[in-house]
Amino acid sequence: MAPGLVEPAQYDAFKDSDVKAPHKNKSVINYTPGRNVVESHENYEYEDLKPRFPDVKWPALTEVPYHDKGLNGDPEFRNLLSAATDVFDYNPKIGTEIHGIDLANLTDAQKDDLARLIATRGVVFFRDQKNLTIDAQRELGAYFGSLHKHATTCVPQRPGLEDVHVVYTGENSTDMRAMFTPTFLWHSDVTYEFQPPSYTSLKVVTGPPRGGGGDTLWSSQYAAYDALSPFMQKYLESLTALHSAEMQAQGSRELGRPVRRDAVTTEHPIIRTHPVTGWKSLFFNPGFVTKIVGIPKTESDAILGYLNEVIATTQELHVRFQWNKDDVAFWDNRVCNHTASYGFAPHRRHAVRVCCQAERPVFDPAGKSQEEDLAERYGLPKVNKDGSGIVNYND
């Protein structure tokens, strides 16, 4: 246990001599600012889900059929929400939490509604999903499409789970904040693939205690598109970008880890259209996009830096989730970026992720933006994007 992270002393109830009558028989709440008890992991129940790096070689991915199950979902999500006890949005742009749902026992109609809701809201959170074992999580993921096998990251110790990505930081692991710029950590998963993932689930099986750090943040690429001026939107709609796995593969080699599938570089549109919502979104992330095709490097670098800033610093695009054990986040990797938050050492953080391959990204000029569609539906005022005016910011 690290210095300063000791279990707080236990206090008895106040005695009459300690306080005056109003506080009699009240227990003291044990609280030390910024300090949490470190959990012991002897006889750890998830040994089979700890990480390993199998030294094997996989063939290149080939195109697989994909039908988005969200297209079958009820636009009002009535099948899914019939079992819910509570549902609420984190903010208007992204993030919804649902209570009362058991992800391990959904009907097909509920799964279709879930896909449609995730496509609409970007990321949906579920608390206390004890029944969602890794086998149930894989089964649910496979309902949405062919499960993706990651070429470099760790998989569980248990054989046969090579399509599961393990997120594991042990008690003695090095905090990696110094290794990356904050904007670089924002990413969507494996966008260098020909068919990058859609519906992605992450379950935390062991994590820091409440207040111990390790939160995850998501950023809406629907909303990032809406944050751009109409002139920038139009410009980016005409362009593609290169998404490369080379840096990720090289990082694995330098650590002495195997690269199970050859690194690829794939060209994708910078703006894509979602097959379920019909909304346009930015399709960009700092971790894998290396350049914009067909324009000078100086121009490309400037635009990439600008898009980094939009994703990382526009607060209304963001949702932040504080995990508890057995919580699940289910997001649409096509329209969300996400980032880890550090500063949770010396606590263990252990999670398992399952995702499926989706369609090849496409841009449909007939699509709408999220902001346009919702404004028409609900009579919302048009957003002013003219930054040349004078304003008295007075919060």
Side-chain angles (χ1 to χ4, degrees):
M1 189 175 290
L5 291 173
V6 296
E7 189 164 353
Q10 301 297 313
Y11 295 94
D12 295 325
F14 281 125
K15 299 178 181 177
D16 289 347
S17 59
D18 297 326
V19 294
K20 296 185 177 179
H23 299 287
K24 187 176 181 180
N25 296 326
K26 287 189 176 180
S27 297
V28 173
I29 294 175
N30 296 324
Y31 168 67
T32 305
R35 289 291 182 260
N36 305 93
V37 176
V38 178
E39 182 181 357
S40 171
H41 296 293
E42 292 184 31
N43 304 314
Y44 187 51
E45 62 179 311
Y46 296 110
E47 287 290 338
D48 64 328
L49 298 182
K50 276 189 171 182
R52 68 183 174 98
F53 293 89
D55 191 1
V56 296
K57 197 68 176 178
W58 295 335
L61 292 177
T62 57
E63 188 168 4
V64 295
Y66 180 74
H67 171 73
D68 198 312
K69 295 299 180 72
L71 292 167
N72 304 334
D74 179 0
E76 297 181 6
F77 319 109
R78 285 171 289 197
N79 302 298
L80 180 67
L81 297 182
S82 65
T85 58
D86 191 20
V87 56
F88 56 91
D89 293 341
Y90 276 53
N91 65 59
K93 300 291 187 182
I94 181 174
T96 297
E97 185 168 319
I98 302 181
H99 295 181
I101 300 294
D102 183 356
L103 289 175
N105 290 289
L106 297 178
T107 66
D108 286 355
Q110 289 176 314
K111 294 173 187 175
D112 294 342
D113 281 8
L114 174 60
R116 192 176 189 98
L117 180 60
I118 297 167
T120 303
R121 292 296 302 158
V123 58
V124 183
F125 305 112
F126 300 88
R127 300 286 186 181
D128 197 26
Q129 296 293 309
K130 289 185 173 61
N131 292 335
L132 193 73
T133 63
I134 189 57
D135 300 300
Q137 187 177 354
R138 291 177 69 240
E139 182 180 352
L140 179 57
Y143 178 81
F144 299 117
S146 300
L147 297 186
H148 176 265
K149 295 165 66 174
H150 202 293
T152 60
T153 57
C154 48
V155 303
Q157 292 280 350
R158 191 209 307 177
L161 301 181
E162 286 74 25
D163 47 23
V164 175
H165 166 52
V166 177
V167 178
Y168 185 87
T169 303
E171 296 85 329
N172 299 314
S173 298
T174 301
D175 191 314
M176 293 188 292
R177 284 176 294 181
M179 304 298 291
F180 305 101
T181 63
T183 57
F184 181 84
L185 284 170
W186 283 99
H187 67 284
S188 48
D189 293 327
V190 297
T191 57
Y192 47 73
E193 303 288 21
F194 184 75
Q195 294 175 271
S198 55
Y199 304 113
T200 303
S201 64
L202 182 71
K203 178 179 178 179
V204 167
V205 297
T206 300
R210 186 173 64 177
D215 300 352
T216 304
L217 294 83
W218 283 263
S219 177
S220 169
Q221 298 218 62
Y222 288 141
Y225 174 83
D226 276 319
L228 308 175
S229 72
F231 313 103
M232 182 60 77
Q233 289 173 344
K234 193 71 175 175
Y235 174 54
L236 294 181
E237 286 172 4
S238 69
L239 297 173
T240 60
L242 298 182
H243 297 239
S244 176
E246 291 291 346
M247 182 170 60
Q248 189 176 71
Q250 183 58 30
S252 291
R253 294 188 195 99
E254 290 175 1
L255 289 169
R257 295 171 179 171
V259 176
R260 298 184 288 272
R261 192 165 51 239
D262 291 341
V264 295
T265 298
T266 308
E267 188 173 338
H268 291 308
I270 296 178
I271 308 298
R272 71 184 295 176
T273 308
H274 197 288
V276 175
T277 63
W279 294 340
K280 299 175 183 177
S281 75
L282 186 65
F283 188 58
F284 166 78
N285 69 87
F288 298 123
V289 173
T290 57
K291 66 175 293 186
I292 297 174
V293 177
I295 64 174
K297 180 174 174 17
T298 301
E299 187 174 332
S300 173
D301 289 349
I303 294 170
L304 297 185
Y306 164 60
L307 296 178
N308 284 349
E309 184 173 0
V310 169
I311 289 168
T313 67
T314 310
Q315 290 89 347
E316 61 265 29
L317 276 60
H318 296 168
V319 61
R320 182 174 186 135
F321 188 60
Q322 186 179 78
W323 298 91
N324 296 312
K325 180 181 170 62
D326 295 321
D327 289 348
V328 172
F330 227 129
W331 71 93
D332 192 331
N333 193 67
R334 296 168 291 189
V335 296
C336 286
N337 280 296
H338 60 279
T339 184
S341 65
Y342 291 104
F344 56 85
H347 302 290
R348 177 178 295 185
R349 189 171 184 272
H350 188 187
V352 282
R353 189 193 74 198
V354 173
C355 63
C356 66
Q357 295 174 252
E359 78 281 1
R360 186 176 187 180
V362 296
F363 170 67
D364 181 358
K368 291 184 177 180
S369 80
Q370 181 188 50
E371 211 163 68
E372 290 172 342
D373 194 22
L374 297 183
E376 287 180 14
R377 284 194 224 175
Y378 307 124
L380 303 176
K382 187 176 181 180
V383 174
N384 178 11
K385 297 184 179 179
D386 183 356
S388 64
I390 299 173
V391 65
N392 178 25
Y393 181 75
N394 200 29
D395 272 1

